[in-house]
Structure formats: structure tokens, C-alpha cells
Amino acid sequence: MKIKHRLTLRFIFQLVISGIIVLLIAAACTWWILQRLTDMSITRDFASAGLERLVESSKLDKDGIHFDPHLLEQVKLNKGWLQTLDEHGRVDLSYNTPKDVPLHYAPGELIDYWNKTKPFPYDIYLWIQEKNGKLFTIIYGIKNEMGQLLEEINQYHALSPAGQLELPSALRERLKKLDGYVQVLDASGVEIASYNRPDSIPAQYSVQELVLRSTYGSRFGFKIASVYHDESKYTWVIGLPIGHSSAAGERPLVPEEIRIILIGISFLIGAMIVIFLLISVWNAHRFGSPMLHMLAWIESIGQGKYTEPLDRTGQPRSRHRSGKWRRRYAVFADVMQSLHKLSAILKRDQDLQRQTNKLRDEWIAGITHDLKTPLSSIKGFAHMLAAENYEWSTAEIRKFSVTMLDKSNHMDTLINDLELSYRVNARIQPPDMEEIELNAWMEDILLRGAVHPSWDAGRIIFKPAKTEIYVKLYPPWMKRAVHNISANALLHNPPDTILTVTILHDTDAGEVKIVLEDNGTGMDDVTANRLFERYYRGTDTSSSTEGSGLGMAIAKGLVEAMGGWIAVETSLGSGTTITLIFPTSSSRLIQWT
């Protein structure tokens, strides 16, 4: 799998996991907000919000009905009580029920209590619902403190001449215990007297505000009731806190519902920030560390250090001691492998460059020596001929001239080799190539080459192909390549070495092969691998050192420049075979007769 696919899958996987975690946290926050809002509504008005949940959460088994303990606790906190009735009005189950509450209800009796047509010290609420084939009738009751207080105030209320509210001590103690208050308002809604009124309760009311506070008491923290007296034009207001704290009447700057929602949203945002910070740190460790390591590696390559940076223990940072990739580096395996290959190639090229420079320096020293030797001879004979105190004979002058010409030709050969080597290395295209018949041309070249002062005649054997073969070559370059290979085979082998030149034609591949095979001593692997390097002489101290060290490199470059290629097969003691391969002009194959 390519690195871009691995990275894509990793990031998609991270996004999916992050999205799932965020959704789970959002779901948990939403559930918490709804739960808190429900608990708040149950606390404020259990009759409206709690009875349905009580029935829905109940469980019915052979031992009877079981309610949610949390909701039962809420009933107790609200100072309420519960009863369940069967179809005949008998109480099946009761919870926190006072002693003055009946255990059996006649059909009309319960309705009168509910409609408040019959005196009852409690406000009751009914919930009737069928569940699991059984009809549930639940009575929720809460003491009617407001009604009793109104009744007592109507009986015992009084205002002193100084405008002070006079109440019985028992009623005062009861109001203090309930954290309630009493106000007396004049005809315009202005308070003229009060008892135990919190600072959050206004001292003046408009008609609208009194209606709103009477209807939506939960918004203000107090439920209130009022009674108007026609004779005095006074309005008596009684307020009791919703909840269990005297601070309930203090209207908060932010409503409790909004505060719960803000807490839930804040937690969600905070959790998301923490998650994304953790993912960022994880990504920095998972992806940032390998990237920094690769950048450090590239920087070290730029400084000429071609090994992977190591950790404190001397091990490559990307691998375990066993050689396996470390987990966070495995995704970048392709890049790491490329860096390894690049480092190896650059290291090899650096070593090769150093070796080439060394060989070049050695070759320059050698070529300088080879040039100075004939030049010294030429200068010596020139000085002798220029001497005025001696007269040379014509035979002597001719002998000197022949030697000087021979040395000049040797110098010219060295210079031409150097020039041709650099032309080939610069990939100079050959001049216009000619289509030649290879058998006849090669035979002529080899016959001329066989007559050479450096080796005996008859050491070159030619075996032509059975058909005339036409190939496109540049004859001077081909002649030079064949001569260099023949000279290398005959000069650097024992004097009895035979060179066999065979021309083969592969009609299926459309190729012609010129095989130059000798029966000499052969070469080892090191010499064979470096045979075509410039400046390299794979000879021992007893071999001839004639030449510039460029012959085989020139031969290879010339063959490749003409569209062919060259191959070597050799081993010590088995001779050497060099094959030149060229494409043929298949339309010009003629069978010999």
C-alpha cells in the first residue's frame, strides 16, 4: 500500500474515532442536561412532571409494584406523599403518608377532595394509567400550607394604628419556619405593611406583575396567593418559597435552566478541546517525530553523512534492535526505504568519485610520464642534431628522424585517446553512419590488425557468418573499438594466446553479435567489473603497460554511441569473451553460395 493511501486511511480513522467520541460526549452532555432539567421540574412541580415518570419507571412483579427510589426520595424532599389505589378505592401501597390521610376512599369522596369541595388539609393530584394490563391510580398529596395560612390570616389579621402588621405568635413562628412572608398592599399596589419579606420581593406591584407572580411563581422562586378585602381596599399577599432554601426567592442573574444548559455546553466544548489537544499531541508524536527524523536525515545527507541518525543507545531511531520498523515509522516505510537507497547510492558515488579521482591522478601521473619519455627522446635527438661541433651523416640523421617520428606518433596516440575518451564521455553523437557488409569489413580489419609489431601473425582467427549481414556503423569508430579490444586481449595475456573473432546472426531477435574470445588467463571479478572504467589498468607488474588506460572505456563508449551494447564473460584460467551486439538491417540478408 502506498504511503498516501496509508496516511489517508490513518487520518480518516482518526477523524471517525474523534467524531464518535465527540458524539458520545455530546450525547452524554445532552442526557445530563435533560436529566437535570427534569429533576428541576420535578422538584418545582412533582405533580405535573414526576407522576408520569413515576408510573413509567415503575416495575410490577408478583410482590406488587415498585417505584424508582430516586423519585420516591424526591417526593419526600417535596414533603409530599403517595398512595396507589385498587379498583375499589382501597390503598395498595403508600409512601410517606401522614396519619390523617384515609386508607380507603368512597367514589365521591376522592372527587370532592380533588375538587376541593370538601375540606382536606392537602392538595391532591391524580394520575390514572394502564400498564402491563393493570390500571394504575396514583394519588400524590402535598400539604396545603398556602390555604391554611390564608384562612388563619383572614381570621386573625390586624393592622396597628401605626401601620404595623399584627399576627398571632404561632402564625409568625409558622411563617418563619416555612420561610414565608406576608404583605399588605393598598389600592394602588404599594406595600403598607409586611412580615418576613425577603429583599428580593418588591414593595410595590402593578396589576400585571402580581398576575405573573401568582401564575408563574417558579420563575421568581416563590408561589404566592392573595385575598382582596372590599371594605378596606387592601390586598393581603402570602408567599412561600419553591424549594428548601430561604435563598429561593432571590432571583439569580442567570436562570437555573440556562445555567444547566451553559454548564453542559461548556463541558462539551472543554471535552472537545481536550480531545483535539490529545489528538494533536498524539499526531505530533506519531507523525511529527518521524518527519523530523527524516528531515534530520536529509540534512545529514546534505552534510555528507550517509548513515541514518542514531538514538542515545546507538541504534537507528526508526528500527528496533531486532531490525523491525518502530510502529510510528512503519507508515513512512516507503520514504525511509527511499532514504536508505539514496544514502547507499550517494555513499557509493562518493566512494566511486574518490576512487575515480585517485585513478585519474594515477593516470595523469602515468600519462605525464608516457608523454615525457618520448618527448625527452625527441628533445635529446633534436639537441644532438642542432650541435655545431659535430657533423652527422645522412644515415644517422635518418635514424634520428625515424626515432623522433615514432615517439611523436606515440605522443599523438596518447593525446587522441584522451580527446576521444572525453568526447565519448560527453555522449557526442557519431558522424553519418554507413551501411556495411559486416563479414567482409571485419575480415579486412582483422587481417590488417594481425600484422602488428606487438604480437605475432596468426594469433587472430576469424569466423564469418553464413549470410551477408548489413549493419549501420561508423567505420572509424568500429575499427577503433575492435582494435582496442584485440590489443587488450593480446597484450595482457601470454604470448601464445589466440583471439577468435566470430560473427553470429540472431534472426529472431534481429541482432548481430561480434564475439571476441581469447584463451588467455582470464580476469577476476573485480577486474571484470571495472574493465570499462577510465584510467583503470587491470594488469599485474609483469604485464605490458603500453597504452593510456582508456582503451576499453573508449571501446565501450564507441559501441554504445553507435546503438550497440557490449557484454563480458570471464573467469580466472578460462579466458575472456567480449560480445558486441548491434541491430541488423534485416532486408539486406543474402545467403552465401
Side-chain angles (χ1 to χ4, degrees):
M1 186 183 295
K2 294 183 178 180
I3 184 172
K4 67 176 183 179
H5 295 153
R6 288 200 295 267
L7 287 175
T8 301
L9 290 177
R10 290 290 181 93
F11 284 118
I12 290 175
F13 178 75
Q14 286 185 18
L15 289 176
V16 170
I17 295 299
S18 302
I20 292 174
I21 294 175
V22 169
L23 288 176
L24 290 175
I25 293 175
C29 290
T30 303
W31 178 86
W32 181 83
I33 290 173
L34 293 177
Q35 193 71 22
R36 292 292 298 161
L37 291 176
T38 302
D39 290 344
M40 186 178 65
S41 62
I42 290 174
T43 301
R44 290 178 175 178
D45 190 358
F46 187 86
S48 299
L51 287 180
E52 182 179 4
R53 284 193 61 189
L54 192 69
V55 175
E56 293 297 332
S57 62
S58 64
K59 295 179 181 179
L60 186 64
D61 56 24
K62 62 182 181 179
D63 296 328
I65 188 169
H66 304 277
F67 294 113
D68 183 357
H70 173 71
L71 293 176
L72 292 178
E73 186 66 23
Q74 194 63 52
V75 170
K76 188 174 183 179
L77 288 175
N78 287 355
K79 298 181 180 180
W81 50 268
L82 284 176
Q83 286 181 324
T84 61
L85 306 182
D86 61 13
E87 296 177 354
H88 304 289
R90 289 190 295 267
V91 175
D92 282 339
L93 179 68
S94 62
Y95 177 76
N96 202 39
T97 305
K99 295 181 180 180
D100 56 348
V101 176
L103 301 177
H104 179 270
Y105 298 88
E109 182 182 11
L110 181 61
I111 298 301
D112 286 346
Y113 291 157
W114 183 36
N115 291 329
K116 298 182 180 179
T117 57
K118 184 177 181 180
F120 196 64
Y122 302 95
D123 289 331
I124 63 172
Y125 303 88
L126 300 179
W127 188 273
I128 301 174
Q129 181 176 338
E130 184 178 357
K131 182 178 180 181
N132 297 333
K134 183 176 180 179
L135 191 65
F136 284 87
T137 302
I138 299 178
I139 302 175
Y140 171 70
I142 187 168
K143 193 169 185 63
N144 188 7
E145 299 283 358
M146 189 74 73
Q148 293 182 4
L149 288 173
L150 277 175
E151 183 178 351
E152 291 184 21
I153 287 174
N154 276 330
Q155 293 177 359
Y156 305 111
H157 71 278
L159 285 175
S160 67
Q164 297 293 323
L165 184 60
E166 295 180 354
L167 296 175
S169 58
L171 184 57
R172 287 175 176 270
E173 291 297 327
R174 190 172 176 186
L175 281 172
K176 281 189 176 182
K177 185 177 180 181
L178 294 174
D179 292 325
Y181 67 92
V182 176
Q183 285 180 297
V184 181
L185 309 179
D186 62 13
S188 59
V190 177
E191 178 186 296
I192 59 175
S194 66
Y195 174 75
N196 204 38
R197 176 178 64 83
D199 294 337
S200 60
I201 301 301
Q204 182 177 356
Y205 295 86
S206 64
V207 174
Q208 293 81 2
E209 185 171 7
L210 189 59
V211 170
L212 289 173
R213 286 181 175 269
S214 299
T215 307
Y216 306 104
S218 60
R219 296 183 182 179
F220 305 94
F222 277 86
K223 61 179 180 178
I224 65 173
S226 61
V227 60
Y228 177 72
H229 293 275
D230 293 330
E231 297 177 359
S232 61
K233 307 297 183 181
Y234 289 164
T235 302
W236 291 73
V237 179
I238 299 176
L240 294 178
I242 298 175
H244 312 285
S245 173
S246 59
E250 298 178 4
R251 188 175 183 181
L253 183 63
V254 179
E256 189 175 358
E257 296 90 340
I258 303 299
R259 185 169 58 85
I260 291 173
I261 294 173
L262 290 177
I263 291 173
I265 293 175
S266 300
F267 179 80
L268 175 61
I269 294 174
M272 291 174 62
I273 292 173
V274 171
I275 289 172
F276 286 116
L277 285 176
L278 291 175
I279 291 175
S280 299
V281 173
W282 186 82
N283 279 332
H285 174 73
R286 191 74 173 180
F287 300 105
S289 294
M291 289 182 179
L292 291 176
H293 175 68
M294 289 185 288
L295 289 175
W297 193 350
I298 293 172
E299 185 178 356
S300 67
I301 290 175
Q303 296 173 355
K305 300 176 183 177
Y306 303 118
T307 56
E308 181 179 354
L310 306 178
D311 58 16
R312 296 178 180 177
T313 63
Q315 294 292 323
R317 294 182 183 274
S318 61
R319 295 181 183 271
H320 294 287
R321 292 185 180 273
S322 61
K324 293 183 179 180
W325 293 108
R326 294 184 185 273
R327 192 169 181 180
R328 63 178 179 271
Y329 290 90
V331 69
F332 299 101
D334 294 342
V335 180
M336 302 293 291
Q337 291 286 7
S338 298
L339 285 174
H340 275 289
K341 291 179 181 178
L342 176 62
S343 297
I345 291 172
L346 292 175
K347 182 68 168 59
R348 183 195 64 192
D349 290 347
Q350 185 186 55
D351 294 341
L352 182 60
Q353 182 181 9
R354 290 174 180 172
Q355 191 172 28
T356 301
N357 291 338
K358 180 181 178 182
L359 291 173
R360 182 185 61 191
D361 293 341
E362 293 176 354
W363 175 82
I364 289 175
I367 203 75
T368 302
H369 178 267
D370 290 343
L371 286 171
K372 283 185 177 182
T373 299
L375 184 60
S376 298
S377 299
I378 293 172
K379 289 176 67 177
F381 284 114
H383 281 296
M384 291 172 66
L385 291 173
E388 297 179 356
N389 56 353
Y390 190 82
E391 295 292 333
W392 301 100
S393 65
T394 302
E396 289 175 328
I397 292 174
R398 184 176 290 109
K399 182 180 179 181
F400 293 164
S401 298
V402 170
T403 302
M404 293 171 68
L405 182 61
D406 182 60
K407 299 299 183 181
S408 298
N409 289 335
H410 181 58
M411 291 178 64
D412 186 59
T413 300
L414 293 175
I415 293 170
N416 289 337
D417 280 355
L418 182 60
E419 178 195 7
L420 188 56
S421 171
Y422 278 94
R423 289 186 63 194
V424 169
N425 189 57
R427 302 186 182 275
I428 301 299
Q429 295 297 320
D432 294 337
M433 294 195 294
E434 303 175 13
E435 189 175 56
I436 62 174
E437 201 288 308
L438 190 58
N439 288 305
W441 184 88
M442 185 63 69
E443 185 176 13
D444 180 62
I445 293 300
L446 292 176
L447 285 175
R448 294 180 186 179
V451 183
H452 194 280
S454 299
W455 55 78
D456 300 331
R459 291 181 64 186
I460 299 178
I461 300 174
F462 177 61
K463 295 181 179 181
K466 296 181 180 181
T467 59
E468 291 185 355
I469 302 174
Y470 288 86
V471 294
K472 280 189 174 183
L473 300 170
Y474 182 55
W477 283 13
M478 187 64 186
K479 178 181 177 181
R480 181 63 181 276
V482 172
H483 173 75
N484 286 359
I485 295 173
S486 301
N488 191 74
L490 297 175
L491 288 175
H492 299 294
N493 276 306
D496 59 346
T497 300
I498 301 298
L499 176 65
T500 303
V501 181
T502 306
I503 297 180
L504 302 175
H505 179 238
D506 188 345
T507 55
D508 294 334
E511 297 173 347
V512 61
K513 297 180 179 179
I514 304 172
V515 182
L516 297 95
E517 181 180 6
D518 67 60
N519 60 350
T521 58
M523 295 177 284
D524 56 25
D525 291 339
V526 175
T527 303
N529 291 332
R530 302 183 61 185
L531 181 62
F532 299 111
E533 290 183 10
R534 293 192 302 165
Y535 321 125
Y536 182 76
R537 295 186 182 186
T539 61
D540 55 35
T541 56
S542 63
S543 301
S544 172
T545 57
E546 180 182 349
S548 61
L550 298 171
M552 296 304 292
I554 290 173
K556 180 176 184 293
L558 293 176
V559 169
E560 292 177 349
M562 291 184 290
W565 58 97
I566 191 167
V568 180
E569 293 182 10
T570 185
S571 62
L572 286 175
S574 300
T576 301
T577 300
I578 297 178
T579 305
L580 311 182
I581 306 171
F582 295 93
T584 60
S585 302
S586 57
S587 60
R588 300 293 305 279
L589 299 179
I590 302 174
Q591 184 72 34
W592 281 13
T593 58

